[in-house]
Amino acid sequence: NLGNFFVGYQWVRNRNATTTPGTMPADAQRAGDFSQLGTPIVDPKTGLAFPGNVIPQTRISPQALSLLKLYPLPNFSGPYNYQLPLVSDTHQDGLNSNLNKSINRKNQVFGNFAFNSVRSDTPTLLGFTDRMDQLGLTTKANWRHFFTNRFYGTFAYQFSRQATTVTPNFANKENISGDAGIPGNDQQPQNWGPPNLNFVSITPLTDGNQSVNKNQTSAVSADMFWNRGRHNVSFGGDFKRQQFNVISQPNPRGSFSFTGAVAGNDFADFLLGVPDTIQIASGKADKYLRGGIADAYVTDDVRISPSLTMNVGIRWEYWSPLSELQGRLVNLDVVPGFSAVAPVVANNPVGTLTGAKYPDSLIHPDKHEFQPRIGLAWRPFPASSMLVKASYGVYYNTSVYQTIAQQMPLLSKSLSVQNSAADPLTLANGFNAFSNLPTLFGIDPNFRVGYSQNWLASVQRDLPGALIVTATYNGIKGTRGVQEFYPNTYATGAANPCPTCVSGFAYMTSNGNSSREAGQIQLRRRLHNGFTASAQYVYSKSIDDAALGGRGQGTLLVAQNWRDLGAERGLSSFDQRHQATLSGQYTSGMGIGGGTLMSGWRAALFKEWTLLTNITTGTGLPLTPTYFAPTQGTGNTGSLRPDYTGAPLYNVPAGVFLNSAAYALPASGQYGNAGRDSITGPYQFSLNASLSRTFRLTDRFSLDLRVDSTNTLNHVTFQNWNTTFGSTQFGLPNPNAANAMRSMLTTLRVRF
């Protein structure tokens, strides 16, 4: 007996075409002519408007003229004046195999091996094409031993490795920054390309960074099962060693942001060569992270009575904070109140300010992740179909350490500077050496892993007509959510309250919290006469002031005011108040029971088809109003919110979805009072369908035909609107966040 062996190969070649819009600088503005604008273009040397709102050619920065060549000319009319069909190309090869063999009555071995290779080319709106190559493999060997008929164990070893290489468009080809006369950024060939340019009114100029990631995991596990009377007991544990090997500089070419703070228009600032902020990183690009994972669990599935079943268990899980192989991680040693900050390095882990001793990971481990869980199923009335289910569990976000370690810099220099009299910035000198921090990121060394408490209760009952109704309540409470803020910053226009304090860095803590409550009603029809369907409605509300949310993880946010983190409390980024789902399936069966009273060629044509459709619709997701300006004391933009004026937000003419009069810039020295996630985005809708049938060719051969359709109605649904106050696209749908157009996939498979 050689056992059972299976091997499969998957070959995929996919070309995806999408028409992508954007906003390019108009012809007149490229030459410095802003006469068509109603706002004056101010000369930063005199403080007066340029005559005729035209910037003289002699004042236009040669660096700006060189980078401007990368922007194509407009080819469309309207707020989005440029469109380009982008074709992405993906090649994928996959190999899967498994083996299952019984050695004798008490021993069985089985395992699998999988190999995957992906090559893809991704074009951008500016004509850049970045390439990604992925190569991965995973293998697992299992041995199952039966100690008795009611007690057996499964022992396994697993190894996986994934390598990903990203090669940007200009790498090893053209030194855009050097040719434009922009010194100070990384000039190595693998990092050639333009600096990133960020604007309010036109499409940003960005390109990917060269990176090589090689991740590897080795794991051993033991899982035991024991049946005794009414008890089914499972217990076991795992141990893993993880490697994350990264060769990538996070911002080697640097970034310039233009907000209009100098000339009154962001593109005019660019032509004058005066950015509002710059960011850049330099130094060691290689990072070799190491960590371990250990867990143990025990669960008892017990039948207490014929009408009551209970599942009780506890799981302990420990993920160590990641350390760097050569001890080069950097954190910040801070005194209370952040009045003084100094770097602390893993290979010399004693804080110079506090004298505190840090571990190699620079974060003290949290080994108390005990996660109890309990669930029950109960039939309260013996003669009734009513079924009551309830559960409670605690779940820790132990994987957070990987994200943290990837943000922690090595022994390198990072720069984030705002334009000022002390540090005057231009495109020509923006990346020159200023007094800067060796790190722009710090984390509380006593950071604790966040967790959520989940509870659920449901009641299910049969109804006439093969119907089943289920009502469910689900609650989630998140604790120790991730919060991030910029210490020692202040509102625009306010005096610096601590001129001697260090600012310009982000700091992460675990003091956030969240909650989510949801009620759900579902009506389902059992399969009868070839037809089954279900309808479901969910009403929910999610609130948080941190990244740890209820349903999945929310987007990491940075607080507007570091002294008022409570002002960040608002709807979660994934909050969807109403959602309805309708799905149905019909199979044209054989004979009277199947509902097709046909014979001959008509039966051969119409019988045994299965049609499946799914419709989902819901209210929009929350969006946050912001305005493009740096947080004072840093070179970072994106976290400031405007004031809400009280004007109706959604009372707008056709074609625009948000009223710009509902917002205004905050008063000098004040933060905006508009709430985070206080805008409801566009409604969501999707309809997908499939049609399939199996043709029996002979006793041994059959042919499977399947046609899958996504976005069957070709209905356009936008994910969000532009919520940057002051942008000419404010209140318009984001065309780059629209759902994909209708697609059809036909699959033929021969089985024998």
Side-chain angles (χ1 to χ4, degrees):
N1 180 11
L2 299 178
N4 297 320
F5 178 74
F6 166 82
V7 62
Y9 171 73
Q10 184 181 43
W11 183 87
V12 176
R13 298 296 183 267
N14 187 28
R15 289 172 61 85
N16 236 357
T18 58
T19 300
T20 304
T23 303
M24 302 298 159
D27 291 346
Q29 292 183 1
R30 290 169 181 261
D33 185 355
F34 294 85
S35 58
Q36 74 282 4
L37 295 183
T39 56
I41 302 301
V42 177
D43 185 344
K45 291 186 177 180
T46 65
L48 302 175
F50 284 104
N53 250 18
V54 176
I55 300 176
Q57 291 294 311
T58 56
R59 295 290 304 279
I60 296 180
S61 162
Q63 290 79 18
L65 288 175
S66 180
L67 296 177
L68 190 57
K69 298 175 184 177
L70 299 175
Y71 273 99
L73 295 173
N75 61 5
F76 207 73
S77 60
Y80 298 100
N81 62 9
Y82 184 75
Q83 289 187 359
L84 186 69
L86 302 181
V87 181
S88 60
D89 195 1
T90 302
H91 291 190
Q92 181 175 350
D93 298 278
L95 176 70
N96 293 279
S97 62
N98 59 61
L99 172 67
N100 189 327
K101 178 177 175 58
S102 296
I103 300 176
N104 52 43
R105 187 175 62 85
K106 289 192 172 185
N107 294 282
Q108 179 185 14
V109 294
F110 54 97
N112 60 67
F113 173 82
F115 170 85
N116 190 49
S117 174
V118 180
R119 291 88 63 201
S120 64
D121 294 321
T122 305
T124 70
L125 190 62
L126 297 181
F128 310 155
T129 299
D130 296 346
R131 180 175 179 83
M132 182 183 70
D133 296 275
Q134 287 185 331
L135 189 64
L137 63 89
T138 180
T139 183
K140 187 175 184 179
N142 304 270
W143 168 45
R144 177 168 294 168
H145 178 72
F146 290 85
F147 298 94
T148 68
N149 291 336
R150 296 176 177 270
F151 180 42
Y152 65 85
T154 303
F155 308 91
Y157 171 76
Q158 181 175 1
F159 175 83
S160 62
R161 183 177 176 85
Q162 175 104 9
T164 303
T165 301
V166 175
T167 305
N169 184 80
F170 295 100
N172 304 303
K173 296 178 183 177
E174 187 176 359
N175 187 2
I176 300 294
S177 293
D179 294 342
I182 300 176
N185 56 5
D186 197 323
Q187 300 290 317
Q188 297 184 71
Q190 67 268 26
N191 289 320
W192 279 353
N196 297 323
L197 305 179
N198 300 309
F199 298 93
V200 181
S201 61
I202 66 174
T203 298
L205 189 153
T206 61
D207 195 18
N209 294 325
Q210 173 81 17
S211 67
V212 179
N213 295 293
K214 296 181 179 180
N215 302 332
Q216 179 175 304
T217 301
S218 299
V220 292
S221 63
D223 298 283
M224 316 298 290
F225 177 81
W226 179 40
N227 170 257
R228 181 176 177 84
R230 298 179 177 181
H231 298 267
N232 291 314
V233 180
S234 301
F235 59 95
D238 302 83
F239 179 76
K240 299 178 182 178
R241 287 295 301 174
Q242 292 184 309
Q243 297 183 14
F244 302 98
N245 305 300
V246 182
I247 302 177
S248 175
Q249 191 64 260
N251 192 12
R253 299 189 303 274
S255 301
F256 295 101
S257 294
F258 302 88
T259 66
V262 175
N265 178 275
D266 57 337
F267 188 66
D269 286 358
F270 168 68
L271 291 182
L272 292 169
V274 185
D276 198 15
T277 65
I278 64 98
Q279 298 86 29
I280 194 170
S282 63
K284 295 290 185 180
D286 55 332
K287 184 184 292 186
Y288 307 100
L289 302 175
R290 301 292 185 267
I293 302 173
D295 62 75
Y297 70 94
V298 58
T299 302
D300 185 9
D301 191 352
V302 55
R303 189 176 183 87
I304 298 175
S305 70
S307 61
L308 178 61
T309 301
M310 183 173 293
N311 185 286
V312 182
I314 188 169
R315 178 182 180 86
W316 172 78
E317 189 171 356
Y318 170 65
W319 290 47
S320 68
L322 298 183
S323 58
E324 207 271 331
L325 185 63
Q326 300 179 27
R328 296 174 297 167
L329 290 179
V330 180
N331 198 359
L332 293 177
D333 185 44
V334 302
V335 300
F338 296 92
S339 58
V341 179
V344 58
V345 184
N347 57 20
N348 188 22
V350 178
T352 57
L353 297 177
T354 63
K357 181 75 166 77
Y358 291 82
D360 292 342
S361 62
L362 302 180
I363 304 174
H364 295 291
D366 186 356
K367 301 180 180 179
H368 302 90
E369 289 93 6
F370 291 95
Q371 305 169 67
R373 293 150 194 193
I374 183 171
L376 62 86
W378 176 45
R379 290 191 180 275
F381 309 109
S384 172
S385 62
M386 179 180 290
L387 177 63
V388 178
K389 295 182 179 179
S391 65
Y392 171 83
V394 176
Y395 302 86
Y396 277 83
N397 182 28
T398 48
S399 60
V400 70
Y401 286 131
Q402 180 180 345
T403 303
I404 292 172
Q406 290 174 346
Q407 292 186 73
M408 296 176 71
L410 298 181
L411 292 172
S412 60
K413 291 186 177 181
S414 299
L415 195 65
S416 179
V417 177
Q418 182 181 0
N419 191 13
S420 65
D423 289 327
L425 302 178
T426 67
L427 285 173
N429 72 4
F431 297 143
N432 290 340
F434 292 96
S435 58
N436 59 82
L437 287 172
T439 177
L440 291 178
F441 176 80
I443 182 170
D444 182 357
N446 296 312
F447 182 93
R448 290 294 175 260
V449 175
Y451 65 92
S452 66
Q453 302 175 72
N454 296 26
W455 56 92
L456 181 144
S458 69
V459 180
Q460 176 183 303
R461 182 166 183 171
D462 293 349
L463 298 177
L467 297 176
I468 304 172
V469 63
T470 306
T472 305
Y473 165 74
N474 179 222
I476 302 176
K477 176 66 175 69
T479 306
R480 297 179 185 167
V482 178
Q483 289 184 317
E484 192 167 329
F485 52 89
Y486 299 130
N488 299 321
T489 54
Y490 49 97
T492 303
N496 188 345
C498 185
T500 61
C501 294
V502 177
S503 62
F505 63 95
Y507 199 75
M508 181 180 288
T509 64
S510 53
N511 299 321
N513 61 80
S514 62
S515 64
R516 180 177 189 268
E517 295 186 84
Q520 173 183 306
I521 185 75
Q522 182 191 63
L523 184 65
R524 181 168 59 89
R525 185 185 189 272
R526 290 191 178 96
L527 182 64
H528 184 65
N529 287 340
F531 178 71
T532 181
S534 70
Q536 177 179 289
Y537 168 74
V538 179
Y539 176 82
S540 64
K541 186 174 183 179
S542 302
I543 299 176
D544 68 67
D545 61 3
L548 179 62
R551 186 179 57 182
Q553 296 299 317
T555 303
L556 185 65
L557 60 95
V558 179
Q560 173 181 241
N561 182 358
W562 74 288
R563 294 188 180 277
D564 186 12
L565 300 183
E568 303 305 309
R569 189 164 183 83
L571 297 176
S572 301
S573 60
F574 52 81
D575 176 76
Q576 189 172 34
R577 194 59 47 84
H578 305 275
Q579 186 186 66
T581 304
L582 177 65
S583 62
Q585 175 182 315
Y586 176 71
T587 302
S588 59
M590 299 293 293
I592 297 176
T596 53
L597 300 176
M598 300 178 183
S599 60
W601 67 269
R602 289 182 299 174
L605 184 62
F606 292 107
K607 289 183 178 180
E608 297 188 1
W609 288 97
T610 296
L611 174 65
L612 176 65
T613 185
N614 182 274
I615 301 173
T616 301
T617 184
T619 51
L621 299 174
L623 304 172
T624 300
T626 61
Y627 64 96
F628 198 60
T631 300
Q632 297 299 302
T634 78
N636 302 298
T637 60
S639 61
L640 298 180
R641 302 190 291 271
D643 271 339
Y644 177 57
T645 64
L649 179 58
Y650 306 104
N651 185 12
V652 291
V656 182
F657 297 91
L658 299 176
N659 181 13
S660 60
Y663 297 105
L665 292 178
S668 179
Q670 301 293 321
Y671 287 106
N673 61 15
R676 182 179 67 86
D677 284 338
S678 56
I679 297 175
T680 301
Y683 86 99
Q684 302 299 296
F685 176 85
S686 68
L687 190 155
N688 303 321
S690 67
L691 183 67
S692 61
R693 180 177 173 179
T694 298
F695 297 90
R696 295 170 180 81
L697 305 178
T698 67
D699 291 340
R700 295 183 56 193
F701 287 85
S702 62
L703 176 68
D704 294 336
L705 170 64
R706 183 180 177 93
V707 180
D708 292 283
S709 170
T710 58
N711 192 12
T712 306
L713 300 180
N714 207 29
H715 178 77
V716 178
T717 301
F718 294 99
Q719 298 297 316
N720 55 57
W721 295 316
N722 187 312
T723 59
T724 302
F725 178 69
S727 168
T728 56
Q729 291 89 33
F730 178 81
L732 295 178
N734 182 353
N736 296 320
N739 61 333
M741 67 180 70
R742 176 174 52 222
S743 65
M744 306 283 288
L745 176 65
T746 302
T747 305
L748 280 173
R749 183 172 63 179
V750 177
R751 290 187 295 159
F752 58 91

